[in-house]
């Protein structure tokens, strides 16, 4: 009996050690970006005066026409895994200021917050403080802004289908759905004062963001989910498309996501977003979200294949650099 028990204990320990070692190996063996190097859009010409976009990780996108600039989400702090698992998170003021400077952002008309998870909304009120922007988003986002001391005149709560204009931009927020994860749902019902556990940044509903500018239209989909027919009747030339978590979904979900977002708006190009591991700093070259949280290669195989079938161009946006998202279309 005694030796039998000892043997099975040793076996259990061996299995646990093997499992932990395998997980650590997988977490650190990053999916490669090399196969997609040819898909990266070039920096826009210095003399180019049209609409330009800079990708700043996750679904933080600067959209600038030279007169007016708006930003989606505005997440720069990117707390590390330890802070997410056992610590608390809060906006890093110095890092946000430094990131805005590196992006060339001085004044922003608005920070459009797509949902209230920390990796989208946490830094938005600090960005607003530094740039004079209006924080636009859900009731939960408004409570994140209040918790950071923003006054009501710098907060604009919007409902499904509402449009707000900034310069020549018309921004419409349309209710959508989060990618299926355990963190989906919930609301922030009172001002949220960080530092707090990351999961206190409850989702608060998702918005697809439609940006119309003169003749050009962009859609920003910050999470790989959808509401059936929510975008019918809307048009967008280019869709910035969240692929985070898409590779973990089955074929039926992936095709439905493509149909409800890309096909419905008639996008001729998609630019994947929310693929980067946001527990790592933005200063380092971005790397995809590792296993077991995602399957980046599978997400990319799907969008490239569907893109080929439907004649939809797939491109990547470089980090920090302004591009013309419509170039060559
Ligand atoms: Zn989210």
């Amino acid at each position: 009996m005694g030796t039998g028990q000892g043997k099975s204990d040793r076996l259990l320990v061996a299995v646990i050690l093997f499992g932990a070692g395998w997980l650590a190996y997988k977490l650190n063996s990053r999916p490669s970006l090399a196969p997609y190097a040819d898909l990266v859009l070039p920096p826009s010409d210095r003399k180019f005066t049209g609409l330009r976009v800079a990708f700043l990780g996750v679904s933080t996108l600067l959209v600038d026409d030279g007169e007016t600039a708006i930003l989606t989400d505005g997440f720069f702090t990117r707390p590390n895994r330890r802070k997410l698992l056992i610590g608390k998170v809060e906006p890093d003021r110095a890092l946000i200021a430094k990131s805005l400077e590196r992006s060339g952002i001085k004044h922003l008309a608005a920070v459009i917050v797509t949902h209230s998870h920390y990796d989208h909304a946490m830094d938005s009120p600090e960005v607003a403080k530094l740039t004079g922007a209006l924080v636009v988003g859900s009731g939960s986002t408004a409570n994140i802004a209040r918790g950071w001391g923003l006054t009501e005149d710098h907060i604009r709560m919007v409902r499904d289908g509402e449009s707000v204009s900034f310069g020549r931009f018309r921004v419409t927020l349309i209710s959508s759905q989060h990618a299926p994860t355990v963190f989906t749902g919930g609301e922030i019902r009172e001002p949220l004062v960080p530092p707090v556990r990351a999961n206190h940044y409850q989702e608060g509903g998702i918005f697809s963001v439609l940006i119309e500018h003169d003749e050009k239209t962009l859609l920003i989909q910050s999470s790989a989910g959808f509401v059936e027919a929510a975008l019918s009747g809307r048009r967008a030339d280019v869709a910035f498309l969240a692929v985070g978590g898409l590779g973990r979904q089955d074929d039926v979900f992936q095709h439905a996501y493509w149909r409800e977002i890309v096909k419905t708006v008639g996008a001729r190009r998609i630019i994947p977003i929310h693929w980067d591991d946001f527990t790592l700093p933005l200063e380092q070259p971005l790397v995809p979200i590792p296993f077991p949280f995602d399957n980046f290669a599978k997400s990319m195989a799907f969008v490239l294949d569907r893109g080929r079938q439907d004649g939809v161009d797939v491109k990547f946006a470089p980090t920090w650099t302004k591009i013309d998202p419509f170039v060559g279309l």
Side-chain angles (χ1 to χ4, degrees), residues 211-227:
I211 299 177
E212 295 163 278
H213 183 273
D214 299 340
E215 304 301 297
K216 300 282 173 64
T217 45
L218 290 175
L219 181 80
I220 298 170
Q221 181 70 25
S222 76
S223 193
F226 60 89
V227 170

Side-chain angles (χ1 to χ4, degrees), residues 70-84:
I70 57 179
L71 189 74
T72 51
D73 291 345
F75 176 60
F76 299 103
T77 298
R78 300 168 73 102
N80 61 29
R81 278 191 207 141
R82 193 186 56 77
K83 278 194 181 151
L84 295 179

